[in-house]
């Protein structure tokens, strides 16, 4: 439920903090006092479009904040998770919105910034506002199918789950089939190209990593003469008189004096002997390396040619030999797919027809279930309307098959298949005997529309789990027994969700659990609206004003007390 609403600098409201409770709430006050501004604030909290014109004159921004207490099982928590908003079900949900004079809007949910689309998605699950001239979801025919499925969830949902699985499989095959059919002409062009590419890559007999090894070989072959000169020169220096011979001569000289100072000269002698052996080994390795240096212009030409060929393939098919080979495997698979296209097309067509047959069987089963639920819903709405003094009203949830010239053929007609089935649902109403059934949006009388909407809301509020239901002067155009019926229906509805109603009718106000007086006052030459939660005596006074106008008499006060007592008795019953 909505626990707290705070408003700052919105229209004529400077600062308002209101605490609400469970049950039925009414907002009363003189015309123009600002009752609708409270509803506007809640509409903005729910993601409605704002305007800089709503900001109080002389202020930079308007601020609204609402605190909700929701059960851990409410679907809004899953929606928040899907949107990436961190929120714990065991905590309160806080929605804050700011409007600035520049026309920008800033919204936060539990302190986290959200865009207007996200806010609206959350708000639609928390607050439903019905105004006298607003076309809410119940007036939109495209919403009626979902409402009927929600109403008949026990019967329809198992069939719908089965249908959804079949529909996904059908759409997948249908898409693949369509792509295959549309690509017929291009397929042969692609097949010729793929075959050429396969032959070209296969003829190259590529080996993974050979481009790198060939590049190394090319460097050696192209510099073989310089390498030979350098290695030969190094070998001659090591092996000549200034190399090994000089070291050998130095060793023999030290050996002559080793016996005179063995302790001092022997370590030096060992180092020279070790150096001699290392130099000798290096000289042998240089000679062997020199003998292996190849002067081979023919091989160099072969390597250059091979590398040029690989470079050409890289420009066409990949950045490396490995990627070229991967591309080869890919187009080999594509070629096989294209070569067997006709066979694949035939198999897909057979699979598609089989899936379509099963899908239509389930869709027809779902249609029959919807017809049963539609009959029950129609009867229930008529019972609700009877309670609202519209006992002669007829309501029908009309189900028809969606026909489409471009759709699939079924029982001699072409129909459209959607993820929801093949049905089109629209709620139709006849308010008086002898009048034809018409769509909800075409009901002429405001009083009739108010009661029809209330009847439908009363039924669907038990299914859609929206915790806050707001009626903005839903009782406009009614009086007498009809007004009393609306009051009783609103009270009963408040056992399912938190109900708010702006009303000018004392019959409605006296049935509320909580009443709030909206007043407009002038302070320091500025107009401001205030909200007061009325005590028992305050309710008596306000009801007396609603009954008698500006002048409150003992008789109207007494009448107001009687109305509250009778209302309490009726509520208890």
């Amino acid at each position: 439920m909505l626990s707290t609403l705070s408003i700052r600098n919105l229209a004529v409201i400077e600062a308002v903090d209101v605490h609400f409770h469970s049950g039925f709430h009414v907002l009363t006050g003189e015309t123009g006092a600002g009752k609708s501004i409270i509803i506007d604030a809640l509409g903005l909290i729910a993601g409605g479009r704002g305007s800089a014109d709503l900001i109080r004159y002389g202020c930079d921004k308007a601020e609204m904040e609402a605190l909700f207490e929701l059960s851990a099982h409410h679907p809004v928590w899953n929606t928040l998770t899907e949107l990436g908003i961190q929120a714990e079900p065991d905590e309160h949900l806080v929605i804050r919105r700011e409007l600035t004079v520049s026309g920008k809007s800033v919204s936060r949910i539990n302190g986290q910034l959200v865009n207007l689309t996200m806010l609206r998605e959350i708000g639609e699950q928390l607050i439903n506002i019905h105004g006298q001239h607003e076309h809410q979801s119940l007036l939109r025919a495209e919403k009626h199918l979902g409402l009927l499925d929600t109403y008949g969830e026990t019967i329809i949902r198992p069939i719908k789950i089965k249908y959804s699985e079949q529909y996904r499989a059908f759409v997948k095959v249908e898409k693949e089939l369509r792509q295959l059919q549309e690509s017929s002409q291009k397929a042969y062009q692609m097949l010729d190209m793929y075959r050429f590419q396969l032959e070209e890559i296969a003829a190259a007999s590529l080996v993974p990593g050979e481009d790198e090894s060939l590049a190394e070989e090319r460097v050696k072959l192209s510099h073989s003469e310089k390498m030979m000169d350098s290695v030969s020169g190094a070998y001659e220096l090591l092996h000549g008189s200034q190399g090994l011979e000089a070291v050998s001569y130095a060793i023999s000289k030290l050996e002559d004096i080793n016996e005179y100072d063995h302790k001092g000269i022997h370590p030096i002698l060992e180092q020279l002997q070790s150096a001699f052996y290392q130099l000798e080994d290096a000289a042998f390795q240089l000679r062997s390396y020199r003998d292996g240096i190849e002067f081979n212009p023919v091989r160099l030409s072969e390597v250059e040619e091979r590398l040029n060929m690989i470079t050409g393939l890289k420009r066409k098919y990949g950045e490396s030999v490995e990627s070229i080979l991967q591309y080869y495997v890919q187009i080999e698979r594509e070629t096989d797919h294209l070569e067997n296209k006709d066979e694949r097309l035939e198999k897909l067509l057979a699979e598609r027809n089989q899936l379509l047959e099963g899908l239509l069987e389930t869709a027809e089963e779902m249609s029959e279930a919807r017809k049963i639920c539609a009959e029950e819903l129609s009867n229930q709405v008529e019972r609700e309307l009877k309670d609202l003094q519209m006992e002669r009203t007829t309501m029908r949830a009309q189900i028809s098959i969606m026909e489409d010239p471009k759709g699939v053929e079924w029982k001699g007609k072409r129909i459209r298949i959607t993820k929801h089935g093949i049905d089109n649902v629209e709620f139709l109403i006849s308010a008086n005997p002898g009048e034809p059934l018409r769509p909800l949006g075409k009901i002429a009388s405001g009083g009739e529309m108010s009661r029809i909407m209330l009847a439908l809301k009363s039924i669907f509020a038990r299914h859609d789990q929206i915790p806050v239901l707001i009626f903005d002067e839903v009782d406009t155009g009614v009086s007498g027994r009809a007004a009393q019926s609306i009051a009783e229906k609103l009270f009963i509805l408040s056992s399912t969700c938190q109900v708010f109603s702006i009303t000018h009718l004392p019959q409605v106000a006296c049935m509320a659990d909580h009443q709030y007086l909206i007043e407009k006052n002038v302070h320091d030459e500025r107009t401001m609206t205030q909200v007061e939660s009325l005590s028992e005596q305050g309710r008596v006074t306000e009801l007396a004003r609603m009954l008698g106008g500006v002048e409150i008499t003992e008789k109207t006060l007494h009448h107001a007390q009687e109305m509250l007592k009778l209302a309490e008795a009726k509520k208890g019953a």
Side-chain angles (χ1 to χ4, degrees):
M1 71 172 190
L2 174 64
S3 178
T4 304
L5 176 65
S6 297
I7 305 172
R8 298 289 183 274
N9 303 321
L10 183 69
V12 292
I13 294 178
E14 182 179 38
V16 162
D17 295 288
V18 195
H19 299 281
F20 300 112
H21 313 275
S22 59
F24 179 25
H25 304 67
V26 292
L27 282 65
T28 62
E30 295 284 357
T31 300
K35 298 184 294 297
S36 294
I37 299 173
I38 306 295
I39 306 304
D40 290 341
L42 288 171
L44 291 167
I45 287 290
R49 292 208 169 271
S51 167
D53 296 335
L54 294 172
I55 300 172
R56 183 173 170 81
Y57 176 74
C59 298
D60 295 329
K61 62 181 179 178
E63 301 170 287
M64 294 131 282
E65 186 172 87
L67 184 147
F68 294 87
E69 295 180 15
L70 305 168
S71 72
H73 305 292
H74 195 279
V76 75
W77 298 114
N78 289 332
T79 305
L80 288 166
T81 300
E82 291 170 3
L83 293 174
I85 301 170
Q86 295 181 351
E88 297 297 330
D90 57 350
E91 297 178 353
H92 292 129
L93 182 64
V94 180
I95 299 179
R96 180 180 178 84
R97 188 167 180 191
E98 298 177 2
L99 299 178
T100 64
V101 290
S102 64
K104 294 183 179 179
S105 171
V106 179
S107 306
R108 289 181 172 84
I109 297 179
N110 280 17
Q112 300 162 70
L113 285 170
V114 296
N115 59 37
L116 194 59
T117 301
M118 297 165 69
L119 180 63
R120 189 176 295 118
E121 188 171 349
I122 296 301
E124 286 177 351
Q125 298 184 53
L126 298 176
I127 300 172
N128 188 295
I129 302 173
H130 171 62
Q132 178 66 26
H133 302 293
E134 295 174 8
H135 285 194
Q136 298 294 322
S137 59
L138 290 175
L139 291 179
R140 295 161 58 188
E142 63 269 22
K143 293 288 186 178
H144 295 175
L145 176 64
L147 291 170
L148 177 61
D149 286 354
T150 300
Y151 173 80
E153 184 178 22
T154 305
I155 300 175
I156 298 172
R157 188 170 182 271
I159 307 173
K160 200 169 186 178
I161 291 174
K162 176 184 175 183
Y163 176 87
S164 296
E165 293 173 352
Q166 292 176 315
Y167 181 77
R168 282 193 294 270
F170 172 75
V171 168
K172 181 181 178 182
V173 172
E174 178 87 344
K175 181 180 178 182
E176 188 176 352
L177 180 63
R178 186 168 59 252
Q179 290 175 340
L180 201 59
Q181 289 171 334
E182 291 174 351
S183 64
S184 294
Q185 186 175 358
K186 294 180 180 179
Y188 294 108
Q189 298 173 353
M190 294 298 294
L191 188 59
D192 288 341
M193 184 183 72
Y194 284 159
R195 284 171 176 163
F196 170 79
Q197 291 176 345
L198 286 171
E199 290 176 5
E200 185 177 28
I201 296 173
S205 301
L206 296 174
V207 177
E210 72 166 307
D211 51 340
E212 297 175 359
S213 61
L214 285 171
E216 292 176 2
E217 185 178 359
R218 179 178 60 184
V219 170
K220 292 179 182 178
L221 288 169
S222 59
H223 296 85
S224 57
E225 186 174 351
K226 183 177 181 180
M227 290 168 62
M228 175 63 76
D229 290 343
S230 297
V231 172
S232 296
Y235 176 75
E236 293 301 329
L237 286 171
L238 284 176
H239 204 267
S241 59
Q242 294 181 352
L244 289 172
E245 289 183 10
V247 176
S248 177
Y249 183 71
I251 290 172
S252 65
K253 287 293 183 180
L254 293 179
E255 285 176 343
D256 291 343
I257 63 171
N258 186 39
E259 59 181 300
Y260 306 125
D261 187 9
H262 179 77
K263 187 175 181 179
I265 205 68
H266 187 70
I268 301 173
L269 180 61
E270 284 185 335
Q271 286 183 24
L272 281 174
Q273 288 173 337
S274 176
F276 177 82
Y277 296 134
Q278 290 180 1
L279 289 170
E280 186 179 42
D281 182 60
F284 291 153
Q285 290 185 52
L286 280 174
R287 185 178 63 187
S288 177
Y289 183 84
R290 180 194 62 188
D291 294 342
I293 293 175
E294 183 180 9
F295 290 98
N296 194 338
V298 175
R299 175 58 185 166
L300 178 60
S301 178
E302 290 175 354
V303 170
E304 291 281 5
E305 185 178 348
R306 180 71 174 171
L307 282 172
N308 288 336
M309 183 269 293
I310 292 175
T311 300
L313 292 176
K314 284 181 179 181
R315 281 197 297 266
K316 295 180 182 179
Y317 309 121
E319 296 178 352
S320 64
V321 171
E322 286 76 9
S323 60
I324 294 171
L325 293 174
Q326 288 174 1
Y327 178 74
Y328 180 87
V329 173
Q330 177 187 335
I331 62 173
E332 189 176 40
R333 186 166 52 245
E334 289 290 330
T335 301
D336 181 68
H337 181 75
L338 292 172
E339 287 176 340
N340 296 283
K341 180 178 178 294
D342 292 338
E343 182 182 348
R344 176 61 180 161
L345 194 62
E346 188 176 336
K347 286 182 179 179
L348 275 176
L349 191 58
E351 185 180 359
R352 179 256 189 196
N353 291 337
Q354 184 178 0
L355 287 170
L356 178 60
E357 183 179 353
L359 185 67
L360 288 172
E361 286 179 4
T362 306
E364 190 172 13
E365 182 184 356
M366 189 157 58
S367 292
E368 293 303 316
R370 282 170 173 161
K371 289 175 183 177
I372 294 172
C373 294
E375 185 68 24
E376 293 177 0
L377 174 61
S378 299
N379 293 334
Q380 190 169 347
V381 170
E382 289 178 1
R383 288 195 296 270
E384 293 282 345
L385 291 174
K386 185 177 180 180
D387 293 339
L388 292 166
Q389 307 301 302
M390 292 182 67
E391 59 275 354
R392 295 186 175 187
T393 299
T394 303
M395 186 270 186
R396 289 289 178 270
Q398 179 177 276
I399 299 177
S400 58
I401 303 300
M402 293 184 291
E403 296 191 28
D404 185 350
K406 297 182 180 180
V408 301
E409 189 170 344
W410 182 68
K411 294 187 176 181
K413 62 180 75 172
R414 288 202 169 272
I415 65 169
R416 185 191 313 161
I417 299 177
T418 73
K419 62 181 179 181
H420 302 297
I422 58 176
D423 301 318
N424 182 58
V425 177
E426 185 171 15
F427 297 157
L428 304 177
I429 289 285
S430 172
N432 298 295
E435 291 185 1
L437 292 164
R438 292 183 295 170
L440 286 178
K442 295 183 179 179
I443 298 297
S445 166
E448 289 172 343
M449 177 64 81
S450 297
R451 285 176 282 172
I452 291 167
M453 295 299 292
L454 181 54
L456 289 167
K457 292 278 188 180
S458 298
I459 294 169
F460 288 114
R462 295 191 285 270
H463 297 277
D464 58 22
Q465 299 186 60
I466 296 177
V468 181
L469 198 55
I470 300 170
F471 294 94
D472 188 0
E473 299 189 11
V474 71
D475 47 28
T476 298
V478 297
S479 58
R481 181 60 190 143
Q484 183 62 39
S485 300
I486 287 178
E488 292 172 9
K489 189 63 66 177
L490 289 170
F491 172 73
I492 293 170
L493 183 57
S494 69
S495 65
T496 305
C497 57
Q498 190 182 29
V499 175
F500 293 82
S501 177
I502 291 179
T503 184
H504 291 284
L505 296 181
Q507 297 99 315
V508 175
C510 69
M511 286 294 290
D513 298 309
H514 313 280
Q515 185 170 353
Y516 297 84
L517 175 62
I518 315 298
E519 285 187 302
K520 186 186 291 183
N521 297 306
V522 177
H523 182 69
D524 291 336
E525 298 184 354
R526 288 298 304 272
T527 302
M528 61 183 64
T529 291
Q530 296 176 322
V531 181
E532 179 187 357
S533 177
L534 294 178
S535 63
E536 189 69 24
Q537 186 56 47
R539 292 191 67 186
V540 171
T541 303
E542 174 62 6
L543 280 173
R545 181 198 63 78
M546 297 172 75
L547 286 164
V550 177
E551 187 175 347
I552 299 175
T553 65
E554 287 296 326
K555 187 176 289 187
T556 54
L557 287 169
H558 179 71
H559 190 185
Q561 289 176 329
E562 285 297 314
M563 287 187 72
L564 284 172
K565 286 180 182 179
L566 288 172
E568 287 301 319
K570 194 173 290 292
K571 287 156 65 175

